[in-house]
Amino acid sequence: MTHPLLDLPPLTAARFASIERGVAELLGTRADVVITQGEALLPLEGCIRSGARPGSTALNVVTGPYGTTFGNWLRDCGARVVDLEVPFDTAVSAAQVDRALSEHPEIDFVSLVHAEAATGNTNPVAEIGEAVRAHGALFMLDAVASVGAEPLLPDAWGVDLCVIGAQKAMGGPAGVSAVSVSERAWARFAENASAPRRSYLSLLDWKERWIDGGRTALPHAPAQLEMLALEACLDRIAAEGLASVTARHAAAAAATRAGAVALGLAPYVGRDEAAAPVATTLRVPEASLVVAKALAVDPAAPLAAGGGALAREMVRVNHYGTAASLDTVGACLTALAGALSVDPAGALAAAGSAWSAALPSA
């Protein structure tokens, strides 16, 4: 009995390397790319445990729940952590980062989330990168929710470690991720006696056994289906054009915000420039109940209540990957209108106008 997902020929080293090159092209990077066989928390933790060490000082920017996780990992590594926390309904500024670096000249590692899908904010990485570069610290960026949804230029922005995942704007599976690693980062890892070795978290193992070996023999059997899915994501983005993909996500965000306001709902992230294109968050009393009612109207609508305490006040509209479309935005607005017992017509008209303004040729 045959099945298209079973009995596939083994993934060759050459094809694995070609997928790596595709990721590098997507990121516009000349740095080494390591594709990791798991969800993006794997390379994120690997980067922190390789780059942080006892005696080091890290600036950890917290604009959402993942920043909290990074701070815990940094402390586990023995690093002294300076947490720069800002309200989750806004973004951090380059001036705030620069001030923290000036107040703590010993900082040698900076961790930042580009876009927080959980809270709907996005941070100005280009400007922050200038401050970090001037300071000389190693810069790690979680770009899982931003890759494909908004501009991402790790080399131009001075990002030493740029971690991405396929499961959001790229439209792929959660089981494969990647990280670009600068020469500065490799040197930092090599100097760290506490960096993971002979471990699934070890990036140095990949460098020594795969990259330095000429990419001729894979260190272990890759996750076949996830790698093929990542390849398909890269092909689909290339066919549409990265600029078109990011513009479509921006249009979906603009349409959702406009439609939500027409429904009488306030965006959770107040400033347009601080709102992430990957997902739109809304301030909604009794959010969990509203989402439950909306999903009763349309079970397929990509709506969710906020996590933890935010479940009482936040609704998240996910519009990424193929869901970054006017049809999906309209379905979400219609479902929310049903939950709120209001007419969706005005919201749909506002969303359509915002979409057309963002993509006039669409």
Side-chain angles (χ1 to χ4, degrees):
M1 183 175 178
T2 61
H3 190 284
L5 301 181
L6 300 176
D7 303 317
L8 298 171
L11 196 71
T12 66
R15 191 164 185 183
F16 192 100
S18 76
I19 300 171
E20 275 186 346
R21 290 193 296 272
V23 172
E25 183 176 344
L26 175 68
L27 296 177
T29 183
R30 300 177 64 182
D32 290 324
V33 167
V34 177
I35 297 179
T36 46
Q37 308 294 286
E39 202 271 339
L41 285 174
L42 172 66
L44 286 165
E45 184 174 359
C47 287
I48 286 177
R49 295 196 181 278
S50 298
R53 59 189 185 273
S56 63
T57 301
L59 175 64
N60 180 47
V61 182
V62 183
T63 60
Y66 284 104
T68 302
T69 298
F70 298 164
N72 292 335
W73 286 339
L74 288 161
R75 292 180 178 89
D76 285 346
C77 295
R80 175 173 173 261
V81 180
V82 177
D83 284 319
L84 173 54
E85 300 184 34
V86 301
F88 288 0
D89 59 357
T90 188
V92 71
S93 70
Q96 289 173 301
V97 172
D98 188 53
R99 188 180 309 118
L101 293 171
S102 298
E103 292 173 354
H104 300 277
E106 69 278 13
I107 288 172
D108 57 13
F109 188 96
V110 176
S111 54
L112 173 72
V113 178
H114 189 179
E116 292 269 9
T119 53
N121 60 35
T122 191
N123 293 301
V125 181
E127 293 85 354
I128 291 169
E130 289 184 14
V132 176
R133 185 189 296 113
H135 185 82
L138 205 69
F139 188 15
M140 185 194 85
L141 184 69
D142 174 349
V144 174
S146 59
V147 61
E150 57 188 296
L152 176 60
L153 302 168
D155 289 5
W157 297 346
V159 177
D160 294 289
L161 297 160
C162 183
V163 177
I164 67 169
Q167 70 267 32
K168 288 190 167 63
M170 293 182 69
V176 64
S177 48
V179 54
S180 64
V181 186
S182 72
E183 290 299 326
R184 293 177 68 236
W186 284 132
R188 172 74 170 260
F189 294 176
E191 294 167 358
N192 183 5
S194 301
R197 303 304 299 267
R198 295 170 296 282
S199 164
Y200 216 52
L201 289 173
S202 178
L203 295 169
L204 283 171
D205 287 355
W206 273 97
K207 176 171 171 55
E208 293 179 0
R209 298 178 59 191
W210 171 245
I211 297 172
D212 293 347
R215 296 181 173 87
T216 57
L218 288 162
H220 54 72
Q224 171 95 321
L225 296 179
E226 286 78 5
M227 288 297 297
L228 295 176
L230 176 59
E231 183 180 53
C233 289
L234 294 168
D235 290 344
R236 186 164 62 184
I237 291 171
E240 181 178 351
L242 180 58
S244 176
V245 174
T246 56
R248 182 163 49 80
H249 281 80
T256 303
R257 286 173 75 84
V261 170
L263 284 177
L265 301 175
Y268 182 77
V269 178
R271 294 185 299 118
D272 289 351
E273 60 271 24
V278 72
T280 297
T281 47
L282 307 170
R283 292 188 184 276
V284 182
E286 299 183 332
S288 294
L289 178 61
V290 170
V291 167
K293 290 181 177 179
L295 292 178
V297 174
D298 183 356
L303 297 166
L310 293 175
R312 295 192 297 270
E313 61 173 332
M314 178 199 286
V315 169
R316 188 173 76 246
V317 182
N318 294 318
H319 40 70
Y320 52 74
T322 57
S325 70
L326 185 57
D327 285 346
T328 297
V329 171
C332 290
L333 293 172
T334 299
L336 286 171
L340 299 170
S341 300
V342 299
D343 186 346
L348 295 176
S353 295
W355 180 277
S356 296
L359 291 176
S361 62

